[in-house]
Amino acid sequence: MATALQLTGIGKSFDGFKALIDADFSVRRGEVHALLGENGAGKSSLMNIAAGLYAPEAGQILVDDNPVQFSGPRDAARHHIGMVHQHFKLVKPFTVAENIMLGHPLATGEGSHRKRLGALEAEIRAKAAALGFDIDPRQRTERLSIAEQHRVEILKVLLAGARILILDEPTAVLTDQEAERLLSTVHALSRNGAAVVLVTHKMADVKTWADRVTVMRGGRTVRTVDPRTVAIAELVQLTVGDSIALPGAEQRTRAPAGEARLTVRGLRSAPAAGRPALDGVDLTLHAGEIYGLAGVGGNGQSELSAALMGLDPAIEGSITLQDFGDLRAATTSGRRALQFAAIPADRYGIALAGALSVAENFGIGQVHDGRYGSPWRLDTKQMEADAKTAVAAFDVQGVRQLDQKAALLSGGNAQKLVLAREFGRAPRIVLAHSPSRGLDVRASAEVHARLLAARDAGAAVLLISEDLDEVLALSDRVGVMTRGRIVAEFEQPADRQAIGQAMVSR
């Protein structure tokens, strides 16, 4: 098979930190080549260079054996390279179709803009149907869940006609069925001559779909192997350098759940267009319990999390906190004072302010309670001292200085910073939405261990995730959310097939 894309001796630094050191990678036409590595190993940086987002400081890029230098993503797209990023590149006020048109040939085609947009909407519906995605081309992107936005990114690259596809964690927020359809489609594209790079942490996807796998560690290429000839345990060993204990059924052993800590009845949101996002949610969270909420993204999970945290007050129904009462009048800061902890699905867009420092992102959670003095005259020394202690306690790697921007942290370390802030004071309620999305095996295990520890300390934990493996590994009870309501509940050990069936019921 001919080599479609080859990167040789690539070097790249950020703020004095060497992210890539003499890194090599190649993908052939007709193959799916997986790229493995811990968060911060350099995978995304290397692929961002291949997609024209970054310029390498050393090394060479070849496309179809011809040396190239990209001036930007559009230049890479002219060489038929398309990348689906883990952190999305969408214009929130635009519709789905308008976002996809930005990189589509119809953007500069003949006819009126309205006619071209209509033709693209038809293409989107057809491709979405083939992939099993439920996407409205006319919906504004800002109203979509994280999972739905991910599907838009995938459609955007496929419809733009890319023949070298780079997929960064494409199944991180997809259900089993959606992931199966997507990877089956991607595999078929490769067999029709496309070259596919699959950046992932899911070893099962690598074993099932990849023809080759390259492992990176510390910005360097470690090894390229045939995944059919190595066991998952060996791939994990190559990736992280040592064995990782993953949470399983045996770690659900615990004392019986306590009293009802948070009770939700008849929660309903105002309809935006047709059916309301929340359409009569009934839910009870118990102290000392992890309640896992499974479901296809876009069925009200994000709206439920926002309502419970007080971000969306325009709701009907009741939310009652043990020993407090009705929460509807409580603000978000008021709920934080009541020992609510929140881990949003969008860690860079909502959980962290990338332009602020690590210390500021940590301390912002306690500014309103006066720990650092007045908001107009902060005690930055105390804030930095607390942040230093938390960074060490939660093993947040990549923090060279506390005043460095949080945006420079890798996904796993950014998530650990969020956990350090949210679990800095023992929470009574934990709202965790897709907490291990895009994280490597080690970082995922650490996040899961923190959730289990919070449960064991008596917190009531709501775990919302499209990753059914994560739900089954951590949850004491499992609920399924469809079309704005919880349609089924299961005690552990739960039947995976029954849960999957409930997820697609209408």
Side-chain angles (χ1 to χ4, degrees):
M1 291 185 288
T3 299
L5 174 69
Q6 183 171 349
L7 299 100
T8 306
I10 301 296
K12 183 66 177 178
S13 300
F14 297 96
D15 194 26
F17 172 71
K18 292 184 178 181
L20 295 171
I21 306 168
D22 199 27
D24 299 325
F25 182 83
S26 66
V27 59
R28 304 163 182 154
R29 297 208 176 274
E31 79 166 351
V32 176
H33 192 152
L35 185 57
L36 286 177
E38 291 190 273
N39 293 110
K43 309 181 304 299
S44 293
S45 295
L46 186 62
M47 290 302 101
N48 280 329
I49 285 174
L53 277 171
Y54 300 156
E57 295 165 357
Q60 185 179 49
I61 305 173
L62 300 177
V63 176
D64 294 325
D65 296 325
N66 297 310
V68 296
Q69 289 183 330
F70 298 138
S71 60
R74 285 187 178 274
D75 198 10
R78 281 192 283 271
H79 288 81
H80 303 289
I81 298 173
M83 181 171 179
V84 175
H85 298 268
Q86 181 182 343
H87 303 292
F88 312 135
K89 311 293 182 184
L90 299 173
V91 183
K92 295 294 181 69
F94 282 16
T95 66
V96 169
E98 288 167 341
N99 266 288
I100 291 175
M101 180 170 271
L102 293 175
H104 194 276
L106 279 172
T108 56
E110 296 181 356
S112 67
H113 174 76
R114 179 176 295 182
K115 184 177 180 180
R116 285 182 279 122
L117 191 62
L120 181 57
E121 288 173 355
E123 276 192 51
I124 292 170
R125 290 190 180 95
K127 179 61 74 173
L131 292 172
F133 290 172
D134 184 10
I135 290 290
D136 178 2
R138 298 184 179 182
Q139 180 68 275
R140 295 204 175 277
T141 307
E142 61 194 357
R143 296 178 182 171
L144 300 179
S145 69
I146 292 294
E148 289 171 312
Q149 291 179 46
H150 205 145
R151 296 174 200 138
V152 174
E153 288 280 21
I154 291 167
L155 288 169
K156 183 169 69 174
V157 168
L158 292 177
L159 289 171
R163 298 294 291 164
I164 301 173
L165 297 174
I166 303 170
L167 307 177
D168 194 354
E169 299 293 346
T171 64
V173 289
L174 301 183
T175 65
D176 289 356
Q177 296 90 339
E178 290 175 319
E180 175 81 16
R181 283 193 294 264
L182 172 65
L183 292 176
S184 178
T185 298
V186 165
H187 185 264
L189 288 171
S190 74
R191 295 310 185 252
N192 286 325
V196 179
V197 181
L198 179 63
V199 183
T200 184
H201 294 115
K202 295 190 176 183
M203 299 295 177
D205 289 350
V206 172
K207 293 286 289 182
T208 303
W209 301 103
D211 300 293
R212 286 191 296 162
V213 54
T214 291
V215 178
M216 293 186 68
R217 196 187 309 155
R220 292 180 168 88
T221 303
V222 176
R223 190 175 166 192
T224 298
V225 298
D226 183 341
R228 293 164 294 189
T229 65
V230 296
I232 286 179
E234 185 177 348
L235 288 175
V236 172
Q237 181 78 20
L238 283 170
T239 302
V240 303
D242 51 28
S243 60
I244 298 295
L246 300 177
E250 70 283 355
Q251 289 174 269
R252 287 199 298 268
T253 302
R254 61 181 178 91
E259 297 178 339
R261 179 67 57 78
L262 190 72
T263 305
V264 177
R265 293 290 178 265
L267 203 62
R268 184 170 280 102
S269 58
R275 193 184 187 96
L278 299 176
D279 194 18
V281 175
D282 293 327
L283 172 66
T284 302
L285 302 181
H286 292 270
E289 173 188 65
I290 296 179
Y291 185 100
L293 190 58
V296 178
N299 275 280
Q301 298 96 322
S302 296
E303 290 80 2
L304 174 61
S305 180
L308 295 181
M309 201 59 204
L311 296 173
D312 182 7
I315 54 173
E316 299 176 359
S318 65
I319 306 174
T320 306
L321 178 66
Q322 181 190 29
D323 299 329
F324 179 82
D326 189 0
L327 272 177
R328 285 181 299 175
T331 62
T332 299
S333 58
R335 297 182 201 207
R336 293 188 66 84
L338 291 167
Q339 295 173 276
F340 274 61
I343 306 168
D346 187 355
R347 68 182 67 107
Y348 286 109
I350 299 175
L352 296 172
L356 297 183
S357 71
V358 168
E360 289 167 334
N361 271 283
F362 172 80
I364 199 169
Q366 297 187 57
V367 166
H368 290 292
D369 66 11
R371 176 170 176 77
Y372 304 121
S374 164
W376 313 112
R377 190 179 178 126
L378 290 176
D379 183 351
T380 55
K381 288 186 178 180
Q382 183 63 55
M383 182 186 293
E384 289 184 358
D386 288 352
K388 182 178 181 180
T389 300
V391 162
F394 281 75
D395 191 31
V396 185
Q397 300 290 319
V399 179
R400 296 177 296 284
Q401 296 178 334
L402 292 169
D403 62 357
Q404 78 180 55
K405 292 181 179 180
L408 295 177
L409 296 175
S410 68
N413 289 306
Q415 191 72 317
K416 285 192 279 187
L417 177 60
V418 174
L419 292 173
R421 182 185 66 215
E422 296 303 305
F423 291 170
R425 296 177 296 173
R428 297 183 71 213
I429 304 288
V430 178
L431 307 175
H433 194 324
S434 301
S436 63
R437 178 174 71 92
L439 304 190
D440 60 50
V441 176
R442 186 194 302 276
S444 294
E446 292 174 359
V447 170
H448 292 168
R450 294 289 179 179
L451 293 176
L452 289 166
R455 178 205 69 182
D456 293 343
V461 180
L462 175 62
L463 169 65
I464 301 173
S465 179
E466 282 86 23
D467 185 342
L468 192 50
D469 288 328
E470 180 172 56
V471 170
L472 291 174
L474 295 176
S475 304
D476 303 298
R477 282 191 300 144
V478 177
V480 176
M481 194 163 187
T482 301
R483 302 189 74 184
R485 64 177 62 186
I486 296 174
V487 297
E489 285 189 342
F490 302 85
E491 295 289 338
Q492 288 280 33
D495 184 331
R496 187 187 188 102
Q497 295 301 319
I499 293 174
Q501 185 61 40
M503 288 168 63
V504 297
S505 66
R506 292 291 181 182

